[in-house]
Amino acid sequence: MSQIDKASRRQKIKDRSRAAVAGTAVKPRLCIYRSLSQIYAQLIDDSGSTTILAVSSMSKENNELKGAGVEVCRTVGRQLGEKAMAKGITTVVFDRNGFRYHGRVKALADGAREAGLIF
């Protein structure tokens, strides 16, 4: 499978899921992006087109974390959950952004659940 095929496949999945998934100020969308070396997660209010908060493996608080393995992703998920709970957000809508739900994506979701987020 060529790189163009993979990108177009992910874009189609992303468009389909985005049609059904939308975040609000009360229940924001937890959107993730996974690159080869990093992982990024943000809570988005689609009704106001604003990002409520964002956490990544490149954040200053994550300087000691190396790579983008499953444990790093679980830590990023926990940090996102803790920050969301501090802002009073308890429920979110999960948007996997076209990525398969396994490995690092699943680890981030599990970390957020461990911190208390419900989705």
Side-chain angles (χ1 to χ4, degrees):
M1 186 177 259
S2 71
Q3 190 67 19
I4 295 171
D5 293 340
K6 286 182 182 181
S8 64
R9 176 188 167 276
R10 191 174 85 77
Q11 186 63 41
K12 285 178 186 176
I13 294 169
K14 183 176 170 180
D15 291 341
R16 268 196 318 264
S17 68
R18 192 66 49 81
V21 175
T24 62
V26 177
K27 192 173 182 179
R29 176 168 54 100
L30 169 56
C31 182
I32 61 146
Y33 177 73
R34 175 185 61 85
S35 71
L36 290 177
S37 57
Q38 306 297 331
I39 191 142
Y40 309 87
Q42 55 185 347
L43 294 180
I44 301 170
D45 173 14
D46 289 318
S47 61
S49 300
T50 57
T51 299
I52 298 169
L53 67 94
V55 178
S56 74
S57 57
M58 293 182 62
S59 300
K60 288 183 181 180
E61 59 202 21
N62 294 329
N63 281 342
E64 69 278 354
L65 300 176
K66 298 296 179 203
V70 172
E71 286 305 316
V72 172
C73 294
R74 189 177 310 271
T75 303
V76 169
R78 270 192 230 112
Q79 289 173 353
L80 179 88
E82 290 165 1
K83 287 183 178 184
M85 297 301 269
K87 285 194 172 224
I89 299 169
T90 57
T91 60
V92 296
V93 178
F94 189 68
D95 178 14
R96 58 188 176 90
N97 211 5
F99 297 107
R100 293 181 180 166
Y101 187 79
H102 70 94
R104 296 187 288 153
V105 174
K106 185 176 183 225
L108 190 138
D110 290 342
R113 282 190 187 107
E114 288 172 11
L117 281 181
I118 300 168
F119 52 95

